Amino acid sequence: MKNNTNINVEEIRKDFPILKRKVNGQNLIYFDNAATSQTPKVVIDSIVSYYSNYNSNIHRGVHALSQEATDAYEGSRVKFQKHFNAKNSFEIIFTSGTTHSINLVANGFKKILKRDDEIIVSQLEHHSNIVPWQMLCEETGAKIKVIPIDHNGELIFSEFEKLLNAKTKVVFVNHISNALGVINPIKKIITKAHEYNAAVLIDGAQATPHMKIDVSELDVDFYVTSTHKICGPTGVGVLYGKEEWLNKIPPFLGGGEMIDKVTFEKSTYAGLPNKFEAGTPNISGVIASGVAIDYLNGIGLDNINEYEKDLLDYATSKLLEIKDLKIYGVSEEKTAVISFNVGQIHPYDIGSIVDKLGIATRTGHHCAQPIMDYFKIPGTIRISFSFYNTKEEIDIFIKALNKAILMLS
Amino acid sequence: MKIKQIQEDLVDEFAMFEDWMQRYEYMIDLGKSLPLIDSKYKTEDYLIKGCQSKVWVQAELIDNKIIFKADSDAIISKGIIAILIRVFSNQVPNEIIKANTGFIDEIGLKEHLSPNRANGLSSMIKQLKLYALAYQTKINNE
Ligand SMILES: Cc1ncc(COP(=O)(O)O)c(C=O)c1O
């Protein structure tokens, strides 16, 4: 089918071995990219190459393998520094994922927060990521305030402004909601929060696959993501933190690599980034993540964004032809995520039937219970696209969906 | 009817269909004949954990046999619980505890069986058997 963008999807699809597989006898159609993206062969190869050629522990050995592994690992850090336009490579910390990064930052504020200080989070958050802040509040006596959303799934900025005051110490908002795909006005949020000297942590797990992020331009204090959403392996997270903030907060995990000097009386911490990377990290995963970011930049995030927007518009218009279909999150500012329900049909029923037809969708509350409560629904069916998806796949999905609706009504 | 006989009947019924779609349609139909739970039991206490959809089950011992009633907010889950209830309801607790559930594989619903599946078929079986165990213990203690 015609596509006027710079993406040659037939060629790109050849990069992803998994796209050749069958599910329940049908060609796999993978529409669950918001949960995890698929992995191109170059990334898989880099993991195989690491274990075949230079597997060894980093930063510790003088031997050749260890040097090679350290160079590749640190090389990856520089790739992410450049990709995110951070001032220093040591402002990039590798973690096990977004969840780990958020916990690291929240834990860091334990010493900084005082009773009755305030933390602002949005109603759009991934609920597992609200928990670290709740734990922090229990320990420090600080309070959580929530930015509400409107019926389009957009944050109400004026309500956010009302929540800010001298007691606000941290603002935590996702760049893009994983349940709805709506892009939040983070630049405005960061600027406003800084007027009150509050630190801002942005969860970019859903943004980094679709757009170029410039942490310097955003002037954000912390920005986090998981590389399994950007064609990398599972179990690697990237945490950007401004130097001054990373120096201010204490380490999260104690262990090897994060210390400078140890006596039983007191250890002094190593400098950045090692202070936050205790123990042997996921070396092959970090290296492969660097390969993944190179791969994405090779295609170009602007091209990806344009192509995915085309898929989003196409799918949205096809879906809206279906009777009683309601899309949640209808902002102009959206990435290629569509969350919807059809009449009173349970999302789980539709998800089960389209799965039998080889189509991977996500059903349920998408770890965003507060959003589902707002819309008073048990969950939604969510389809999310990547640059290797096609309009043909969308057509097949629409047919499958209509079949499911027929069976279930 | 014995549990084993009901299972064999179900296997025969499902064997008439050629593909999964017809089997799912039949399962959805079976869901429509599910003995429905009284709405006052549609509470957290009667909810089966581990299902993406809501499935409520309630049990009663009448003449030493367990009568199950249930409901679900999803049609497929309703079909699945209806199949289980057809097999297990109106049986003595000990028979339910002992019953083998291999027939699920034979009727082509194997993919629902894995305990890691979000649909909770294995949680449903566990819950029905737990009711049987509880009633059996009660009978033994009387
Ligand atoms: C917005 C958002 N935040 C956080 C996470 C959690 O990421 P991870 O499981 O990689 O820690 C996800 C992933 O589902 C997400 O979409």
Side-chain angles (χ1 to χ4, degrees), chain A residues 102-111 132-133 136 139 249-253:
Chain A
I102 293 168
N103 276 278
L104 187 158
V105 176
N107 178 75
F109 275 86
K110 233 188 250 176
K111 286 271 189 311
W133 304 104
L136 181 65
E139 280 192 46
I249 64 174
F252 184 38
L253 298 173

Side-chain angles (χ1 to χ4, degrees), chain A residues 34-36 96-102 124-126 128-129 172 174-179 203-207 224-229 235-237 362 366-367 382:
Chain A
T36 286
S96 71
T98 302
T99 305
H100 178 184
S101 302
I102 293 168
L124 288 168
E125 297 319 303
H126 196 277
S128 60
N129 296 337
F172 170 56
N174 58 33
H175 193 163
I176 294 175
S177 147
N178 66 303
D203 172 353
Q206 293 297 334
V224 297
T225 191
S226 299
T227 67
H228 68 86
K229 311 243 191 212
V236 180
R362 186 70 153 214
H366 318 296
C367 306
R382 183 188 72 187

Side-chain angles (χ1 to χ4, degrees), chain A residues 346 348-349 356 363 407-408, chain B residues 52 74-77 111 119:
Chain A
H346 199 286
Y348 161 78
D349 284 328
K356 294 293 283 181
T363 61
M407 275 175 82
L408 294 164
Chain B
Q52 215 184 67
I75 292 176
I76 293 177
S77 307
E111 79 258 20
N119 57 56

Side-chain angles (χ1 to χ4, degrees), chain A residues 197-362:
Chain A
N197 293 320
V200 182
L201 165 62
I202 301 291
D203 172 353
Q206 293 297 334
T208 46
H210 309 292
M211 59 181 76
K212 189 99 178 148
I213 307 299
D214 185 329
V215 293
S216 297
E217 202 257 320
L218 286 170
D219 194 29
V220 67
D221 302 295
F222 301 96
Y223 193 97
V224 297
T225 191
S226 299
T227 67
H228 68 86
K229 311 243 191 212
I230 48 176
C231 295
T234 56
V236 180
V238 179
L239 159 66
Y240 160 78
K242 260 189 204 160
E243 181 180 6
E244 55 167 304
W245 274 112
L246 292 178
N247 281 327
K248 233 180 266 181
I249 64 174
F252 184 38
L253 298 173
E257 216 66 70
M258 55 74 71
I259 30 143
D260 179 24
K261 202 165 139 202
V262 183
T263 66
F264 276 101
E265 286 70 48
K266 186 172 169 47
S267 304
T268 49
Y269 307 135
L272 298 173
N274 298 356
K275 171 180 165 188
F276 293 106
E277 293 184 9
T280 302
N282 182 351
I283 303 170
S284 67
V286 165
I287 296 169
S289 299
V291 175
I293 207 69
D294 282 347
Y295 177 80
L296 285 187
N297 284 325
I299 297 169
L301 276 160
D302 288 342
N303 293 331
I304 287 174
N305 196 297
E306 189 192 9
Y307 179 78
E308 289 174 348
K309 180 96 181 88
D310 196 34
L311 291 183
L312 174 69
D313 291 344
Y314 183 75
T316 304
S317 69
K318 290 274 167 187
L319 282 171
L320 289 175
E321 287 169 11
I322 295 174
K323 194 167 160 279
D324 293 334
L325 188 141
K326 179 170 162 56
I327 293 177
Y328 299 91
V330 288
S331 172
E332 278 295 305
E333 298 293 323
K334 256 188 86 168
T335 47
V337 171
I338 307 177
S339 227
F340 66 93
N341 276 323
V342 185
Q344 293 303 310
I345 304 178
H346 199 286
Y348 161 78
D349 284 328
I350 290 180
S352 306
I353 289 177
V354 299
D355 173 61
K356 294 293 283 181
L357 295 161
I359 304 166
T361 64
R362 186 70 153 214

Side-chain angles (χ1 to χ4, degrees), chain A residues 13-30:
Chain A
R13 288 180 70 82
K14 291 183 194 154
D15 294 340
F16 292 83
I18 208 167
L19 298 179
K20 294 190 194 83
R21 78 159 277 186
K22 300 213 178 260
V23 170
N24 293 322
Q26 313 282 332
N27 292 326
L28 165 69
I29 294 181
Y30 188 75

